[in-house]
Amino acid sequence: MKTLSLIASGIAVAGVVAASSAVYTVGEVEQAIITQFGKPVGAPITEAGLKLKLPFVQEVNRIDSRVLEWDGSPSDMPTKDKLYISVDLFARWKITDPLQYFLRLRDERSAQSRLDDILGSETRNAVAKHELIEIVRTTRGRTPLRDTLLTDQELAQDIGALVPITKGRALVEQEIFEAAAEKVRVFGIELLDIRFKRINYNESVRPKIYDRMISERRQIAERFLSEGNGEAARIQGNRVRELSKIQSEAYRAVEKIRGAADAAAAEIYAGAYNVDAISVEFYDFTRTLQAYGDLIFDDTTLVLTTNSDLFRFLRGMQGEEAPFLDPSVLGDGGVASTGRARSAQDPATPIVIQTEVEADR
């Protein structure tokens, strides 16, 4: 009995193991290929649910049925206009023929490697056939917003203008997609979409592009600066001209007022001194004395003749002492000293006494 129990238990365990090996499930996001001794048998299983297979002989190979992602690494490649750019591409794909996919690629890792080769090659071919502007821009015939301050000469140099394109980035992506889709279809793969993720200049040409952009901006800035300097010079010139005009008008007004004042003063003086002959003579006398004060000082030396007009009043004065001459020298070249004692009747006596004139010392 004990032996029979052991045999029955062994058969039961073997049955459970065989049943578990014969039953498998397929998920909603999976599809399966059944292989027997490494070779596919039957049609691919694409519907989800509980399935049966031969235990221990057949094996289930699960294949993803979802939309998968391919993200390539950036790579440098030349354009038609000989500019090296770095292109970063991504794509979406799915497995539509599990059997063909399994026979040719086996797993997703091999599929990703094959996509790297195919998409990278087609991207290089498409980029090499088009200029950079075709890959960067998308909209054809777009009119850019240009600076309204640009001159006609700068507009003629196409500063701020867009280079015309014939295709654009979307059509280039479509070319890559169509060429790659045909090549990956033989692997049971359907290419759903492809897009440029990033396009940038190569490190070797990037400084040159930046320098060209800087030079264009600097050209516009220099023009603005020169126009500003010209406007500043014009304003400064106007300021100097207006200032000179104001100063000249003020000087003319001052001179006019001063001339009118001098004329009025002269008229007053003339009216005061032209009353009679004595007034005229007194005016002549006071002006001569004023001339003495302006010309002769304590240390003044004048070389004059004795009959000079400056001595007109000195020669005509009468005093207690007559003028005397140095007997050693005669004529106009002698030394003439004029003096007389103080006289109460002559108001000019202090001036005459304190003045000594030397001729030809």
Side-chain angles (χ1 to χ4, degrees):
M1 292 295 293
K2 186 176 181 180
T3 302
L4 292 175
S5 298
L6 291 175
I7 293 174
S9 298
I11 292 174
V13 170
V16 172
V17 172
S20 63
S21 178
V23 177
Y24 66 95
T25 59
V26 178
E28 293 291 339
V29 295
E30 294 178 334
Q31 45 193 346
I33 298 293
I34 304 301
T35 59
Q36 184 173 332
F37 302 112
K39 294 183 179 181
V41 293
I45 301 172
T46 58
E47 295 181 358
L50 186 63
K51 309 295 180 181
L52 295 176
K53 67 179 181 65
L54 294 177
F56 308 114
V57 178
Q58 294 181 342
E59 183 181 355
V60 179
N61 299 274
R62 302 179 187 277
I63 298 174
D64 203 332
S65 63
R66 295 172 296 182
V67 175
L68 302 176
E69 177 185 0
W70 174 84
D71 191 359
S73 58
S75 57
D76 295 338
M77 54 192 70
T79 61
K80 185 179 180 180
D81 46 355
K82 307 303 179 183
L83 293 175
Y84 278 86
I85 59 175
S86 177
V87 179
D88 193 359
L89 199 71
F90 76 93
R92 296 294 182 266
W93 60 283
K94 67 181 299 185
I95 302 169
T96 56
D97 190 348
L99 181 58
Q100 193 71 14
Y101 173 83
F102 181 78
L103 292 175
R104 287 180 173 268
L105 300 175
R106 289 282 177 173
D107 54 17
E108 187 178 339
R109 181 178 180 182
S110 299
Q112 292 283 358
S113 177
R114 189 56 59 91
L115 287 173
D116 286 342
D117 297 337
I118 295 174
L119 293 178
S121 175
E122 295 301 327
T123 302
R124 287 179 178 275
N125 292 337
V127 170
K129 291 188 299 183
H130 299 89
E131 295 183 353
L132 176 62
I133 192 64
E134 299 283 351
I135 303 172
V136 173
R137 287 180 51 197
T138 300
T139 306
R140 287 181 292 176
R142 183 170 70 88
T143 302
L145 295 176
R146 305 182 71 179
D147 195 342
T148 57
L149 299 178
L150 292 176
T151 62
D152 295 337
Q153 183 179 2
E154 292 171 342
L155 292 175
Q157 296 176 0
D158 292 337
I159 295 179
L162 293 178
V163 179
I165 62 175
T166 57
K167 291 185 177 181
R169 185 175 65 246
L171 292 181
V172 175
E173 292 173 341
Q174 186 65 24
E175 289 182 5
I176 299 173
F177 172 79
E178 293 175 355
E182 292 293 331
K183 293 184 177 181
V184 301
R185 188 174 292 116
V186 298
F187 300 103
I189 294 174
E190 180 185 1
L191 192 62
L192 301 177
D193 194 15
I194 184 173
R195 288 288 185 270
F196 287 119
K197 186 195 315 186
R198 182 180 178 85
I199 299 174
N200 204 346
Y201 288 107
N202 183 273
E203 290 292 340
S204 60
V205 301
R206 194 176 302 173
K208 298 179 182 179
I209 302 300
Y210 290 159
D211 290 341
R212 186 176 65 183
M213 296 169 62
I214 292 172
S215 64
E216 291 180 356
R217 294 293 97 188
R218 185 172 295 167
Q219 180 180 356
I220 298 175
E222 290 293 336
R223 180 176 65 82
F224 288 160
L225 184 60
S226 63
E227 291 178 357
N229 291 335
E231 186 68 16
R234 186 184 65 80
I235 295 173
Q236 183 69 14
N238 292 338
R239 185 189 69 84
V240 174
R241 184 170 62 253
E242 291 295 329
L243 181 61
S244 300
K245 180 179 179 182
I246 293 172
Q247 289 178 342
S248 62
E249 291 178 354
Y251 179 77
R252 182 177 62 184
V254 169
E255 291 298 322
K256 183 177 180 180
I257 295 172
R258 184 175 296 164
D262 291 342
E267 184 179 359
I268 293 172
Y269 281 125
Y273 290 113
N274 286 329
V275 177
D276 51 23
I278 298 176
S279 298
V280 173
E281 184 180 356
F282 177 73
Y283 176 74
D284 190 14
F285 176 72
T286 56
R287 293 295 294 175
T288 303
L289 293 183
Q290 183 178 357
Y292 288 163
D294 294 337
L295 294 176
I296 302 172
F297 301 95
D298 292 342
D299 55 349
T300 301
T301 301
L302 296 177
V303 179
L304 301 169
T305 60
T306 54
N307 58 354
S308 173
D309 289 340
L310 188 61
F311 291 98
R312 180 161 53 90
F313 288 102
L314 298 179
R315 290 197 307 268
M317 288 188 297
Q318 299 295 328
E320 297 178 355
E321 297 179 4
F324 59 89
L325 298 176
D326 188 351
S328 62
V329 180
L330 297 177
D332 293 338
V335 177
S337 295
T338 305
R340 63 185 177 88
R342 181 183 298 268
S343 175
Q345 290 78 16
D346 191 352
T349 300
I351 297 178
V352 176
I353 293 174
Q354 297 177 2
T355 303
E356 179 178 351
V357 179
E358 299 182 3
D360 195 10
R361 180 182 299 271

